[in-house]
Amino acid sequence: MKLYNYWRSSASYRVRIALALKGLSYDYVPVHLVKNEQLADAFLGLSPGKLVPALVLDDPGSPPLTQSLAIIEYLEETHPEPPLLPADFAGRAIVRQMALLVACEIHPLQNIRVLNYLRGPLAQGDGPVAEWVRHWIAQGFQALEELARRHGDAKKYLYANGVTLADLCLVPMMYNARRYHLDLRPYPALVAIDAHLMTLPAFATTRPEAQPDAE
């Protein structure tokens, strides 16, 4: 497999964690988002949305996969061990609820193309843009903190007693929160869970700074 991704992309980070947890090897193909390499015509064939990640499977007849959660669900269905979703239907819905809170509510508002629009056509400086990012992460983290207390131990995992899809979404967003200097004191459960997850090899080895294209 080939994973087209960017070292600091949250969506790419999620998929790297999933691949590591599943024990799957892949070729790392960097796509530099700041240099707009994702806008090249050659990349359009892999990702019509001009976004990373894109996963190219070993089967030459299979189309490239995009959208991080779709990729992770594919990996879950084709390589079910270790599972990233609970066995029961309600549990699976709750885990997806937490994952989507991050991937669909928080993350899109800090996507590089959104931030570039704020800086460009809307003429916002770095200060207001950073405050924009912090505001929306904080809004989402308030809900996620409560969900972590309802459905997990608030110490090691977001849900129950093992790694799930929700944790794969949390860790990259915690990285972004620190990058933009969000005050994390209101979210002690998320901080504790993130700290525990980063002791696990699948999370530590896939962190942005450990990637070959890290700057």
Side-chain angles (χ1 to χ4, degrees), residues 13 17 141 144-145 148 153-158 166-178 184 187-200 203-204 207-208:
Y13 192 1
I17 298 169
F141 274 9
L144 195 60
E145 175 79 8
D153 62 3
K155 294 179 181 179
K156 292 185 176 181
Y157 309 103
L158 280 176
D167 298 305
L168 275 61
C169 293
L170 170 66
V171 168
M173 191 52 61
M174 290 292 288
Y175 175 89
N176 282 359
R178 293 188 175 98
L184 293 173
Y187 321 109
L190 302 185
V191 171
I193 293 166
D194 175 68
H196 169 71
L197 293 170
M198 288 305 295
T199 67
L200 306 179
F203 289 83
R207 70 189 188 280

Side-chain angles (χ1 to χ4, degrees), residues 14-208:
R14 295 173 204 145
V15 174
R16 293 197 302 263
I17 298 169
L19 288 164
L21 286 168
K22 300 290 188 181
L24 300 173
S25 60
Y26 60 94
D27 294 329
Y28 186 107
V29 183
V31 179
H32 203 302
L33 300 186
V34 178
K35 296 180 180 178
N36 290 325
E37 291 179 354
Q38 74 279 14
L39 303 181
D41 290 340
F43 190 66
L44 181 63
L46 297 176
S47 176
K50 301 179 181 179
L51 299 170
V52 294
L55 184 68
V56 175
L57 305 175
D58 291 330
D59 181 0
S62 297
L65 304 179
T66 61
Q67 294 295 334
S68 62
L69 295 192
I71 293 172
I72 294 170
E73 292 259 9
Y74 167 84
L75 296 174
E76 176 74 355
E77 292 172 355
T78 56
H79 300 83
E81 295 297 330
L84 297 177
L85 291 168
D88 64 295
F89 294 131
R92 295 164 82 88
I94 291 167
V95 166
R96 288 187 172 111
Q97 172 188 346
M98 290 190 279
L100 291 169
L101 173 59
V102 176
C104 297
E105 300 291 339
I106 305 175
H107 180 228
L109 292 166
Q110 60 189 258
N111 190 286
I112 190 170
R113 59 183 178 177
V114 172
L115 302 187
N116 285 343
Y117 190 80
L118 290 172
R119 293 187 180 100
L122 299 185
Q124 298 299 306
D126 289 341
V129 169
E131 181 55 35
W132 164 279
V133 173
R134 288 192 293 269
H135 172 79
W136 294 115
I137 296 178
Q139 290 284 306
F141 274 9
Q142 290 175 17
L144 195 60
E145 175 79 8
E146 176 60 27
L147 290 170
R149 295 179 181 279
R150 291 183 187 181
H151 301 296
D153 62 3
K155 294 179 181 179
K156 292 185 176 181
Y157 309 103
L158 280 176
Y159 182 84
N161 58 358
V163 174
T164 66
L165 174 63
D167 298 305
L168 275 61
C169 293
L170 170 66
V171 168
M173 191 52 61
M174 290 292 288
Y175 175 89
N176 282 359
R178 293 188 175 98
R179 178 186 171 198
Y180 285 96
H181 307 291
L182 176 68
D183 181 3
L184 293 173
R185 288 175 294 181
Y187 321 109
L190 302 185
V191 171
I193 293 166
D194 175 68
H196 169 71
L197 293 170
M198 288 305 295
T199 67
L200 306 179
F203 289 83
T205 60
T206 56
R207 70 189 188 280

